[in-house]
Amino acid sequence: MAGLGGPPGGAPDGAPGGGEDEYRSVVFDESFVRAARLQELSAQERITDHAPAVRRRPPLRRAGLSRQALILVVLIAVAFGTAVYMGVRHPYQSPAGQRAAEPARMTVVPLAPREKVPGAADAALLYARSPAAHFRTAAQGIPLPGARRTAHFSEDQVFNALDTAKNYIVRSALDPGVVGGGEVRSVRVLLDPDQLRQFDESFEKPAADGRHAPTGWLIRFDPARAELADPGIRVDGSLRVVESDASTLEVTADHTMVYALRPAHDARAEASLFTVRRELHFRFDRDDLRLHQTHLVASSVQAGPLSCAGDSANHLRPLLAGQQAGAGVPAGTDPYTSDDATALCGTLADGAQPKV
């Protein structure tokens, strides 16, 4: 006899433990029911609202979701703060104690010839018979020395300093447009922004005061007086770089440049040579290296043949073929040697002139 509540025929064959075990795998527990997105409406709700038999339940709010969102916000804030900090304290930032920019110091010394300036119809002949015979032309005469890392600067940074110094020399002394008295912007863009005011004042109000001589910044001839007879300017000299401190590189450029000139607007006139001995001192901080700019510390120029009585601060007004300076000064200065000029005017040594 079957037990109370059991099926009359007892448990089905092959189903031990009773018939309810057959449906145990499809019985939904309470957590599954609560998580269901669909919920059956009551009979009263279906009668009054004429609504569908089921309604969509709002999703359960997970306690962990807000915690994850909070963690994500914190991580984003930390990453953003790190990026800002690294941007402010990047490795190229100039140190707080860096020295203030100093105005460039400049000296222009005219060299007067003892005799008449020699000339020839062929500029190449003048070069061949002068001390500049072995000089190379334009930028080829300014080879870069090997760039080697220093205690605080990489090889690339040292190279950038040398390359920027070379660019300044090429643009300021070997560009026919600049040399002919034209636009000077190509030189200006290479200067540290702290020096732009001094540079602009030098061209707006030139003065032979050791601070505001345009010919201290660049080489330019009076376009009403002379022009290039040969665009191939001859150059010879050297570049040297040293690390002055942990945040500064300094480059010294020492070059002799020789120009073939003739009277302005007279293509049939004889040419003559004009020689410039120019020493420049450049300073580079880390920002200058990154931006390919420089700070011109000092400029020393010896140039001739010039008249000692002329104004050489704004434009160079060369003595041309057949012209003579008149009374000079006792000492002779040779721009092809490394002797420093000690007077405001010197005498151009006879050996510095071509033999014609």
Side-chain angles (χ1 to χ4, degrees), residues 120 123-133 273 351-356:
L125 176 64
L126 291 174
Y127 281 126
R129 296 183 177 180
S130 77
L273 297 187
Q353 298 277 43
K355 306 301 182 182
V356 296

Side-chain angles (χ1 to χ4, degrees), residues 9-335:
D13 295 339
E20 68 270 10
D21 291 340
E22 180 179 0
Y23 302 98
R24 183 170 296 168
S25 62
V26 295
V27 172
F28 304 132
D29 58 17
E30 183 179 356
S31 64
F32 181 87
V33 173
R34 288 183 177 180
R37 300 296 301 275
L38 300 178
Q39 181 182 31
E40 184 178 3
L41 301 178
S42 66
Q44 183 64 35
E45 288 175 329
R46 291 198 299 270
I47 293 173
T48 57
D49 294 341
H50 302 286
V54 295
R55 64 167 175 254
R56 186 173 294 276
R57 298 182 65 184
L60 292 177
R61 297 185 62 185
R62 297 182 179 272
L65 183 61
S66 60
R67 185 180 302 110
Q68 293 175 357
L70 178 61
I71 294 174
L72 181 60
V73 170
V74 171
L75 290 176
I76 293 175
V78 171
F80 180 78
T82 302
V84 172
Y85 176 80
M86 293 301 293
V88 173
R89 300 289 297 176
H90 61 80
Y92 298 111
Q93 185 75 14
S94 299
Q98 184 180 9
R99 65 171 69 92
E102 300 175 359
R105 306 183 307 275
M106 50 196 64
T107 304
V108 181
V109 179
L111 304 178
R114 298 177 185 273
E115 306 293 338
K116 290 183 179 180
V117 177
D122 186 4
L125 176 64
L126 291 174
Y127 281 126
R129 296 183 177 180
S130 77
H134 67 283
F135 286 11
R136 287 183 282 183
T137 303
Q140 296 179 2
I142 313 176
L144 294 180
R148 297 182 179 180
R149 65 176 296 114
T150 65
H152 299 93
F153 292 90
S154 68
E155 181 178 317
D156 287 342
Q157 289 174 316
V158 174
F159 175 81
N160 285 344
L162 291 168
D163 188 57
T164 302
K166 176 178 178 176
N167 285 339
Y168 187 94
I169 297 167
V170 171
R171 296 185 188 185
S172 65
L174 305 179
D175 181 351
V178 173
V179 169
E183 181 60 49
V184 300
R185 184 180 181 278
S186 62
V187 180
R188 185 181 188 273
V189 297
L190 290 177
L191 289 172
D192 186 290
D194 290 338
Q195 284 198 303
L196 295 182
R197 180 175 180 179
Q198 183 187 4
F199 182 87
D200 293 339
E201 290 176 349
S202 298
F203 290 87
E204 294 168 359
K205 297 180 180 179
D209 59 359
R211 292 290 187 271
H212 300 93
T215 49
W217 298 100
L218 49 85
I219 302 300
R220 67 173 184 174
F221 299 105
D222 184 350
R225 185 178 184 87
E227 64 184 19
L228 288 174
D230 183 349
I233 302 166
R234 305 301 199 268
V235 187
D236 186 62
S238 63
L239 288 168
R240 302 186 305 276
V241 59
V242 296
E243 177 185 308
S244 59
D245 56 49
S247 61
T248 310
L249 284 175
E250 292 189 357
V251 174
T252 301
D254 188 357
H255 292 85
T256 298
M257 292 157 284
V258 185
Y259 306 81
L261 303 176
R262 64 188 174 204
H265 315 301
D266 189 354
R268 295 179 296 179
E270 285 191 335
S272 60
L273 297 187
F274 187 91
T275 306
V276 174
R277 177 65 179 268
R278 190 183 191 213
E279 184 172 336
L280 303 177
H281 293 270
F282 301 100
R283 179 181 297 154
F284 298 84
D285 60 25
R286 297 186 184 274
D287 284 338
D288 291 331
L289 295 173
R290 179 169 52 89
L291 298 173
H292 298 279
Q293 296 175 335
T294 186
H295 183 104
L296 181 63
V297 178
S299 168
S300 177
V301 176
Q302 304 171 42
L306 286 170
S307 171
C308 293
D311 179 11
S312 301
N314 191 11
H315 290 91
L316 298 175
R317 296 180 171 86
L319 296 172
L320 302 172
Q323 295 180 338
Q324 192 170 3
V329 294
T333 303
D334 187 347

